[in-house]
Amino acid sequence: MRIILVGYGVVGKGVTTILSRRYVEKTRDVGFNPKIVAIADIDGAVINPRGLSPEKLEAIKQRGFPISADPDFGRPGISALDVIESVEAEVVVEVTPVNIQNAEPAMSHITKAFKTGKHVVTTNKGPLALAMPALTELAEFNNVYFRFSGTVGGGTPMLEFAKRCLAGDKILSIRGILNGTTNYILTEMSKNHVSFQDALVNAQKLGYAEREPSMDIDGFDAACKVVILANWIMNKKITLKDVDRTGIRDVSLQMLEEAAKRNSTLKLIGSIEGDRATVKPTEIPLTNPLCVSGVLNAVTFQTEFAGEQTLIGKGAGGIETASAVLRDLLDIRRKLATKLLN
Amino acid sequence: MRIILVGYGVVGKGVTTILSRRYVEKTRDVGFNPKIVAIADIDGAVINPRGLSPEKLEAIKQRGFPISADPDFGRPGISALDVIESVEAEVVVEVTPVNIQNAEPAMSHITKAFKTGKHVVTTNKGPLALAMPALTELAEFNNVYFRFSGTVGGGTPMLEFAKRCLAGDKILSIRGILNGTTNYILTEMSKNHVSFQDALVNAQKLGYAEREPSMDIDGFDAACKVVILANWIMNKKITLKDVDRTGIRDVSLQMLEEAAKRNSTLKLIGSIEGDRATVKPTEIPLTNPLCVSGVLNAVTFQTEFAGEQTLIGKGAGGIETASAVLRDLLDIRRKLATKLLN
């Protein structure tokens, strides 16, 4: 399986690490033989049809150069779109930064990949949040697979759990803590009685929150994940604008103290119930399995037969999210194998 | 898919309900067409190659008769083994009561099914606890599928989650609250400060504990589940005697109060770490996702890439466990479809 990797930040590096022979050999999927033939980032690309060495690229980065400075295979200035179009490969792995204004450049990368007959694995919520119904249709039209399990839950397989483990059951509703940053802030506020502002600054110091924190604290990140869950699991054709969204800026210590008196606390909950998709601070009993602390994510699926099922795990991290990319690649490989048998 | 159902208690009735047209039609698996052609219980059987009507059987039971009293298709006195041997079917669903002394009659039912070329779905922990390595080998030798997802977690797909959703990752260890009865008792003791004996009596009144409660409170049930997880997920060829097992009889209020001072509590934890398989009361921080209350079950998989992942759900119930049988039947159907393509 030849792979074009687009984006070489924390997740991109995690992908090269996890796809290196040492790790992939541990997977039992016989015949899975991934080879990264090109990596494109904002400065250009490296291209080698025989496969790239992550160690060598890492050394170039360490010396302060872009990967396109590779003396043997570097192509400074070439655009990712040109790489996707011109390099022969089966799969494009898209891991550029999230942009929920117009989803670029990821949107163009993904549609270019579809149109040139390449399967896509992405960890980028932007294109899905803004245009998931259109993108899944475009993938189908072009007869390619589109996988994005790293967009929800990081390395925790929330999408696969719902899709694959609950076969034969029916999911009636979904509720979850889908953003670790806001969960960290709310946990700090309620446990250590610090103000929202202080908890935010603390989260920024620890690297849990961005300098520009709106994406997390205004609930955009959680809303993106609600869109993905709604489309993929509940078959609802919605986009970001359809989510009724309230962030945590107005959660006060007093509100948390009131909730504590009722053995509850406030969490930023994303939910899909009936035709309503919502993100808002919600009171949750402390004994509810969904009520996890710190940067953890948790999601509860209410099912027809098997009751409520809750899945909890780390919602972020480079290597964790890269493990979701590996899962997606294995899934595509399996699908292709079955298809060839038809 | 023609099915022989062996056992017609709470789970057996759940299976007939869930396989009735009304429910199965909701599954998207095109071409899944289950038909129960025989039901055997301790008094005899009903057999109809054209499919049995659960409503009619239920009516017979309601009038106080065994199902073998069915005037059209009843076969009073015929043994389940004879039914398994003589009735044409693809799958045997084994849902008789658990027996961890010698695993009978389930053990004979399952081996008879294998030897007559029938796939087996069971919710019965007994045969697995005593002879899982031998049984999985026998199934392979006879070229049939053997599924048992209802044996761990009731309707919560703990086995599938580990096997299917964590593909490409490596599970390093497993820890879980695998028995709802003991979790209810320990929760009562710590929250309401009642003695073990009082909590047990309460659990018996509510139907959470059996009149003969040893299976639960001495940790046998949890140990059976540890055996199944160890074999199926971690590929360890162990049986019940290999589990180091301590129940909750000796957990005192004082111990729980001491733990509470450390923001922890005691839970009956089953674990598989390295070569050690253990069931014993274990101190767990209240903030640990594993620390669930009441009759809930929870299991944490520690993975190499994606960190700790915890799955929480109801661990028992007739319709819940029957939903696990449906999942297993769908899995077998899918496997058979792929096999036919080869």
Side-chain angles (χ1 to χ4, degrees):
Chain A
M1 181 183 271
R2 293 169 299 178
I3 295 163
I4 298 170
L5 177 63
V6 183
Y8 196 59
V10 178
V11 175
K13 278 176 202 162
V15 170
T16 61
T17 302
I18 228 165
L19 289 186
S20 71
R21 178 167 292 276
R22 187 160 83 83
Y23 288 98
V24 162
E25 269 187 356
K26 291 182 186 171
T27 74
R28 292 211 197 104
D29 244 85
V30 183
F32 179 62
N33 184 20
K35 189 162 66 173
I36 298 178
V37 293
I39 305 178
D41 70 4
I42 201 158
D43 298 301
V46 278
I47 301 170
N48 182 1
R50 298 172 59 191
L52 294 162
S53 151
E55 293 80 10
K56 187 178 166 201
L57 296 173
E58 197 46 37
I60 293 171
K61 277 286 229 190
Q62 290 292 335
R63 292 203 307 276
F65 294 105
I67 49 170
S68 53
D70 179 298
D72 303 315
F73 309 112
R75 295 282 300 276
I78 189 174
S79 78
L81 286 175
D82 283 345
V83 172
I84 294 167
E85 179 143 30
S86 62
V87 175
E88 273 191 46
E90 282 74 43
V91 185
V92 170
V93 174
E94 216 298 336
V95 293
T96 61
V98 175
N99 160 4
I100 59 164
Q101 307 313 313
N102 60 9
E104 292 299 350
M107 184 75 95
S108 298
H109 296 159
I110 292 171
T111 51
K112 173 67 82 179
F114 288 165
K115 288 176 187 166
T116 56
K118 296 178 178 82
H119 312 289
V120 171
V121 173
T122 189
T123 60
N124 194 319
K125 291 175 284 285
L128 294 162
L130 299 193
M132 188 153 173
L135 282 172
T136 48
E137 256 184 45
L138 190 64
E140 249 174 65
F141 179 80
N142 286 285
N143 206 18
V144 292
Y145 294 113
F146 184 32
R147 289 290 180 274
F148 34 78
S149 70
T151 56
V152 180
T156 310
M158 293 178 172
L159 297 177
E160 292 87 337
F161 176 75
K163 196 88 167 180
R164 302 182 62 183
C165 292
L166 297 175
D169 210 328
K170 189 180 169 189
I171 296 173
L172 305 174
S173 68
I174 302 178
R175 300 198 328 152
I177 296 176
L178 301 170
N179 177 269
T181 307
T182 47
N183 200 30
Y184 173 82
I185 292 171
L186 292 174
T187 304
E188 278 294 287
M189 289 172 70
S190 69
K191 293 218 167 131
N192 301 327
H193 307 283
V194 298
S195 70
F196 167 75
Q197 205 54 48
D198 288 349
L200 172 59
V201 170
N202 202 8
Q204 286 169 324
K205 274 186 198 153
L206 289 167
Y208 295 153
E210 306 282 330
R211 280 252 295 281
E212 176 34 75
S214 172
M215 183 78 184
D216 291 320
I217 65 180
D218 291 320
F220 289 107
D221 177 73
C224 290
K225 292 164 180 169
V226 163
V227 169
I228 295 167
L229 285 163
N231 276 274
W232 187 239
I233 309 301
M234 311 280 280
N235 206 26
K236 295 188 187 298
K237 307 284 175 210
I238 65 170
T239 63
L240 192 55
K241 66 179 175 4
D242 301 312
V243 181
D244 184 1
R245 176 187 47 76
T246 310
I248 64 165
R249 282 186 202 266
D250 296 332
V251 175
S252 66
L253 278 176
Q254 199 195 335
M255 289 158 75
L256 286 164
E257 279 156 21
E258 288 294 325
K261 285 180 197 160
R262 294 183 289 266
N263 281 319
S264 297
T265 192
L266 291 172
K267 296 288 187 188
L268 185 66
I269 298 292
S271 70
I272 304 147
E273 291 177 60
D275 281 333
R276 287 178 57 86
T278 314
V279 170
K280 67 173 181 212
T282 306
E283 190 168 324
I284 300 282
L286 294 173
T287 52
N288 190 310
L290 200 55
C291 197
V292 293
S293 301
V295 293
L296 286 175
N297 280 206
V299 64
T300 299
F301 301 96
Q302 193 202 339
T303 66
E304 179 169 5
F305 298 136
E308 292 197 342
Q309 313 207 344
T310 303
L311 181 57
I312 298 166
K314 283 181 76 174
I319 205 76
E320 289 86 351
T321 306
S323 79
V325 171
L326 173 57
R327 271 205 311 273
D328 284 347
L329 292 171
L330 287 169
D331 189 35
I332 289 176
R333 192 203 155 275
R334 198 165 29 233
K335 292 264 182 200
L336 290 174
T338 316
K339 212 174 175 183
L340 287 173
L341 292 173
N342 269 318
Chain B
M1 182 183 272
R2 293 168 299 177
I3 295 163
I4 297 170
L5 177 63
V6 183
Y8 196 59
V10 178
V11 176
K13 279 176 203 164
V15 170
T16 61
T17 302
I18 229 165
L19 289 186
S20 70
R21 180 167 290 275
R22 187 160 83 83
Y23 288 98
V24 163
E25 270 186 357
K26 291 183 186 170
T27 74
R28 292 211 197 103
D29 244 85
V30 183
F32 179 63
N33 184 19
K35 189 163 67 175
I36 299 178
V37 293
I39 304 178
D41 70 3
I42 201 159
D43 298 301
V46 279
I47 301 171
N48 182 1
R50 298 173 60 190
L52 293 162
S53 150
E55 293 79 11
K56 187 179 166 201
L57 296 173
E58 197 46 37
I60 293 171
K61 277 284 227 191
Q62 291 292 335
R63 292 203 307 275
F65 294 104
I67 49 170
S68 53
D70 179 298
D72 304 316
F73 308 112
R75 297 281 299 276
I78 190 174
S79 77
L81 286 174
D82 282 346
V83 172
I84 294 168
E85 178 144 29
S86 63
V87 174
E88 274 191 46
E90 282 73 43
V91 184
V92 170
V93 173
E94 216 298 337
V95 293
T96 61
V98 175
N99 160 5
I100 58 165
Q101 307 312 314
N102 61 8
E104 293 297 352
M107 185 75 95
S108 297
H109 296 159
I110 292 172
T111 51
K112 173 68 81 179
F114 288 165
K115 288 177 187 165
T116 55
K118 296 177 179 84
H119 312 289
V120 171
V121 172
T122 190
T123 60
N124 193 319
K125 290 175 284 286
L128 294 162
L130 299 192
M132 189 153 173
L135 282 173
T136 48
E137 257 183 45
L138 190 64
E140 249 174 67
F141 179 80
N142 286 285
N143 206 17
V144 292
Y145 294 113
F146 183 32
R147 289 290 180 274
F148 34 78
S149 70
T151 55
V152 181
T156 309
M158 294 178 172
L159 297 177
E160 291 87 338
F161 176 75
K163 196 88 167 182
R164 302 182 63 184
C165 292
L166 297 175
D169 209 328
K170 189 180 170 190
I171 296 173
L172 305 174
S173 68
I174 303 177
R175 299 196 330 150
I177 297 176
L178 302 168
N179 177 269
T181 307
T182 48
N183 200 30
Y184 174 83
I185 292 172
L186 293 174
T187 304
E188 279 293 288
M189 288 173 70
S190 69
K191 293 218 166 132
N192 300 328
H193 308 284
V194 297
S195 69
F196 167 75
Q197 205 54 49
D198 288 349
L200 171 59
V201 169
N202 203 8
Q204 286 169 324
K205 274 186 199 155
L206 289 167
Y208 295 154
E210 306 282 329
R211 280 251 297 280
E212 177 34 75
S214 172
M215 183 79 184
D216 291 320
I217 65 180
D218 291 321
F220 288 107
D221 178 72
C224 289
K225 292 165 180 169
V226 163
V227 169
I228 296 166
L229 285 163
N231 276 273
W232 187 239
I233 308 300
M234 312 280 279
N235 206 26
K236 296 189 187 299
K237 306 286 176 208
I238 65 170
T239 63
L240 192 55
K241 66 179 175 2
D242 302 311
V243 181
D244 184 0
R245 177 187 47 76
T246 311
I248 64 164
R249 281 185 204 267
D250 297 332
V251 175
S252 66
L253 278 176
Q254 198 195 336
M255 289 158 75
L256 286 164
E257 280 157 20
E258 288 295 325
K261 284 179 197 160
R262 295 183 289 268
N263 280 319
S264 297
T265 192
L266 292 171
K267 296 289 186 186
L268 185 66
I269 299 291
S271 70
I272 305 147
E273 291 177 61
D275 280 334
R276 287 179 57 86
T278 314
V279 170
K280 67 174 180 210
T282 307
E283 191 168 323
I284 300 281
L286 293 174
T287 53
N288 191 310
L290 200 55
C291 198
V292 294
S293 302
V295 293
L296 286 175
N297 281 206
V299 65
T300 299
F301 300 96
Q302 192 202 339
T303 66
E304 178 169 6
F305 298 135
E308 292 196 342
Q309 314 206 343
T310 303
L311 182 57
I312 299 166
K314 284 181 76 174
I319 205 77
E320 289 86 350
T321 305
S323 79
V325 171
L326 174 57
R327 271 205 312 271
D328 284 347
L329 292 171
L330 287 169
D331 189 35
I332 289 176
R333 192 203 155 274
R334 198 165 29 234
K335 293 262 182 201
L336 289 174
T338 316
K339 210 173 174 184
L340 287 173
L341 292 174
N342 268 319

